[in-house]
Structure formats: structure tokens, C-alpha cells
């Protein structure tokens, strides 16, 4: 309970900083005033309502969703390198969004944002199949290589689109490094509902996913149907990753960093890990976005770049700890 309260306090601090810190500092008192009695002629109020609040909402949605998706992937595959970004799921969702925006325009509309879900589903299924999921011998090295190959393929396809269609350059910048700067034009309410649905579904199937992490043979002995549980876990990853990419683009490494920290805080109970992952993921993404606003003024560093700067060294640390043939 104390650790959960500590996480809530950390998230509260991230919320305050996200609303107050930036190129135009806004005090907490002014922020509360803007929320209670909005004045469209007050520049601080406009900054708060039109810019800061949408970014805050996008950070909560994307950070929480990616934390849940990363935890489910790592437990299901027994692979500490599993992450929606590293394994190509982010790329699949972002690629589908880019294709839809190129074909139909209006990348911020909910109808186009919905394309992230089939993209994430296809990418997660391909990586899992290529990594040996259908044979029941998923390994961290095989899965990581499959994800890297899929990432490279999707990146080459996106580059080809940009070379042919110069008007897609802004969307390409958004695809390369996720950001919360376009949050006001994203379907935040719809994606919040989808991410929440994915989180609730994850909590519901958590005991089955934990049983699956023991291995296919043992999980069958416990009455679990591995294929059905794998499909449910992939559905969770698809819902959460699709919602995150729709509002923030492909945020790298967040799904890698959050699960080990959540495990330290919550212990080895998947349901508690999922709750801790959602809170911690949202807090870390908000901190990264806030830090990106002030680290190189007057320019901003995208939140996806900040998470990569932190997550890259952590990825190397986790990779060095893996032993040949290990699955966790």
C-alpha cells in the first residue's frame, strides 16, 4: 500500500510539472484558476486549456497503455527485452497510421487513428510467429531479432513513401520520434476508452497469462489453453499500443523500462504489476515530455527522444545480463 501511495505521489508530481513547466511557465494557482474559470483573453489560461491539458491527457493515455503492453509482453514471452517499440508493434501501428493519413488526409481524425489497431495487431502477430510462438519455443534472442527485422522493413517502407510523397514529411517526423505536441488534434477521449478497455481486459486475463509464463506444458497441466491465452495477450497489446500510437506516435523504450521497475515495486503478482506499470508509465512519459520542453530552450526535444535517451542504456544493461539460451 505504501508503495502504491508513493507511485500516486510520483504521478501527482508529474501532473503538476506537466501543467506548470514549459516555454511559458504557469504557476499551480493560475493553472487551477484556468480550470475553474477559463478566460479566453488570458494567455496563461489559453496555454493551459489549449496546449497543456491535451498534452497531459495524451501522456496519461500513452504512458499508461505502453506500460501495460510492455508488462504483458514481457510476462507472456518471459523475455525482459520485449517491448512494443523494440519488437515492431509500435512501428506496425505507426505505419498503418501513416498509410491512412497519406491516403485519406486528416491524420488527427478518429477514423484514421483507428488504423493503428490493425497495424499493431498484424505486427505483434508477425513478430510472435517469427519468434517461434506457434511452436511454443519463444526465446528472447529470436524474438528480438524478429522485431528488429520487422522494424527495419517498416522503416524502409515509410522512407519509400516519404520519397514519393513529399507532403508526408511532417507525418514522417512524427513517426520517427513520438511526441505529445500534436495531442490537441488527436482523438483523446476515444483512445482513453480503448486503452482503459485494454487495461481492464489485461487485469481479467492476468492469472492465465501468469500460468502461460510457466511454459506451455505446465500451463496446460494447470488447465490453461495456451493458444487462447496468447490471443488474449496479443489483443491487450494491440489495444494498448494502438491507442498509445494514435495519440502520441511511437514512444520507444517506455514499455521496456517500466515493467522491471513495476515488478520491484509491486512484487510478482501480475495484477499488481499492471496497476503499477500504468501509473509508472504515465508518470515517466509526463516527466520525459516536461524535461524535453526545458532541456534545449527555446526548442523542444520530443518525448520519444527523451525516453530513448533513458531507455537505450537500460536496454544495453538488460541485454548484457541475458545468458545464452535464457528466456527471462
Amino acid at each position: 500500500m505504501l508503495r502504491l501511495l508513493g507511485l500516486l505521489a510520483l504521478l501527482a508530481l508529474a501532473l503538476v510539472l506537466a501543467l506548470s513547466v514549459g516555454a511559458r511557465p504557469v504557476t499551480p494557482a493560475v493553472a487551477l484558476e484556468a480550470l475553474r474559470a477559463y478566460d479566453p483573453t488570458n494567455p496563461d489560461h489559453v496555454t493551459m486549456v489549449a496546449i497543456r491539458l491535451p498534452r497531459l491527457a495524451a501522456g496519461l493515455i500513452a504512458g499508461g497503455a505502453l506500460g501495460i503492453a510492455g508488462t504483458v509482453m514481457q510476462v507472456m514471452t518471459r523475455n525482459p527485452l520485449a517491448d512494443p517499440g523494440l519488437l515492431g508493434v509500435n512501428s506496425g501501428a505507426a505505419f498503418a497510421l501513416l498509410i491512412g493519413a497519406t491516403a485519406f488526409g486528416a491524420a488527427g481524425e478518429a477514423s484514421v487513428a483507428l488504423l493503428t489497431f490493425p497495424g499493431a495487431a498484424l505486427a505483434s502477430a508477425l513478430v510472435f510467429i517469427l519468434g517461434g510462438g506457434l511452436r511454443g519455443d519463444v526465446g528472447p534472442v529470436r524474438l528480438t531479432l524478429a522485431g528488429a527485422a520487422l522494424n527495419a522493413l517498416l522503416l524502409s517502407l515509410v522512407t519509400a513513401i516519404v520519397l514519393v510523397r513529399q507532403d508526408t514529411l511532417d507525418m514522417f517526423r512524427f513517426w520517427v520520434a513520438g511526441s505529445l505536441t500534436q495531442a490537441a488534434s488527436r482523438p483523446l477521449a476515444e483512445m482513453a476508452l480503448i486503452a482503459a478497455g485494454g487495461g481492464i481486459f489485461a487485469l481479467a486475463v492476468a492469472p492465465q497469462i501468469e500460468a502461460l509464463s510457466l511454459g506451455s506444458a505446465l500451463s496446460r497441466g494447470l488447465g490453461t489453453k495456451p493458444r487462447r491465452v496468447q490471443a488474449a495477450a496479443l489483443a491487450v497489446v494491440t489495444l494498448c499500443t494502438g491507442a498509445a500510437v494514435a495519440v502520441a506516435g511511437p514512444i520507444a523504450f517506455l514499455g521496456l523500462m517500466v515493467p522491471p521497475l513495476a515488478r520491484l515495486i509491486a512484487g510478482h503478482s501480475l495484477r499488481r504489476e499492471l496497476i503499477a506499470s500504468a501509473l509508472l508509465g504515465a508518470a515517466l512519459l509526463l516527466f520525459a515530455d516536461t524535461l524535453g520542453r526545458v532541456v534545449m530552450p527555446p526548442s523542444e526535444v520530443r518525448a520519444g527522444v527523451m525516453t530513448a535517451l533513458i531507455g537505450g542504456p537500460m536496454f544495453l544493461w538488460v541485454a548484457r545480463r541475458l545468458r545464452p539460451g535464457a528466456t527471462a
Side-chain angles (χ1 to χ4, degrees):
M1 179 59 74
L2 289 178
R3 293 180 178 181
L4 177 60
L5 291 176
L7 273 180
L8 290 173
L10 182 68
L11 181 58
L13 176 61
L15 294 174
V16 171
L17 292 177
L19 292 177
S20 304
V21 177
R24 187 183 186 92
V26 178
T27 64
V30 174
L32 288 175
E33 181 186 342
L35 296 176
R36 288 183 302 193
Y38 175 65
D39 180 5
T41 63
N42 187 326
D44 288 336
H45 288 198
V46 174
T47 298
M48 180 62 53
V49 174
I51 300 175
R52 299 276 171 84
L53 279 178
R55 290 180 75 154
L56 174 66
L60 290 173
I61 295 167
L66 289 175
I68 291 171
T71 297
V72 170
M73 291 186 76
Q74 290 190 11
V75 173
M76 180 182 69
T77 62
R78 294 170 291 157
N79 177 10
L81 300 179
D83 163 73
L86 295 175
L87 299 188
V89 184
N90 274 358
S91 302
F95 177 69
L97 179 63
L98 179 65
I99 291 295
T102 302
F104 306 110
E109 293 184 357
S111 57
V112 175
L114 289 175
L115 292 174
T116 58
F117 298 100
L122 183 60
S124 59
L126 281 175
V127 171
F128 194 69
I129 291 170
L130 293 173
L134 294 181
R135 300 189 303 273
D137 59 346
V138 176
V141 175
R142 186 184 294 111
L143 204 64
T144 304
L145 290 175
L150 184 62
N151 260 324
L153 174 62
L154 292 173
L155 181 59
S156 65
L157 292 175
V158 169
T159 304
I161 293 172
V162 172
L163 291 175
V164 175
R165 294 280 301 272
Q166 292 297 317
D167 58 321
T168 61
L169 186 58
D170 287 338
M171 287 181 285
F172 178 70
R173 292 195 187 106
F174 180 74
W175 187 91
V176 169
S179 171
L180 304 183
T181 57
Q182 300 180 24
S185 65
R186 302 289 164 185
L188 298 176
E190 294 88 343
M191 296 304 114
L193 290 174
I194 292 173
I200 293 170
F201 188 36
L203 290 173
V205 299
Q208 288 77 25
I209 296 176
E210 283 183 302
L212 184 64
S213 69
L214 300 174
S216 297
L218 186 54
S219 66
R220 285 193 183 94
L222 295 173
T224 300
K225 297 181 179 180
R227 297 287 176 83
R228 187 174 297 178
V229 177
Q230 289 168 355
L234 289 177
V236 169
V237 172
T238 297
L239 290 172
C240 291
T241 304
V245 172
V247 300
I251 302 291
F253 290 105
L254 192 66
L256 172 72
M257 293 186 289
V258 169
L261 298 176
R263 198 168 299 120
L264 288 174
I265 295 170
H268 291 275
S269 168
L270 183 53
R271 282 178 171 163
R272 290 200 299 267
E273 285 181 47
L274 289 170
I275 295 171
S277 295
L279 297 174
L280 191 58
L284 289 179
L285 183 54
L286 290 176
F287 279 129
D289 182 56
T290 303
L291 184 60
R293 300 178 204 171
V294 299
V295 69
M296 293 181 62
S299 300
E300 284 193 17
V301 179
R302 292 172 179 260
V305 174
M306 298 304 301
T307 58
L309 289 175
I310 302 170
M314 187 166 185
F315 172 77
L316 295 175
W317 177 73
V318 173
R320 283 180 59 86
R321 294 181 64 213
L322 283 178
R323 295 181 177 87
T327 58

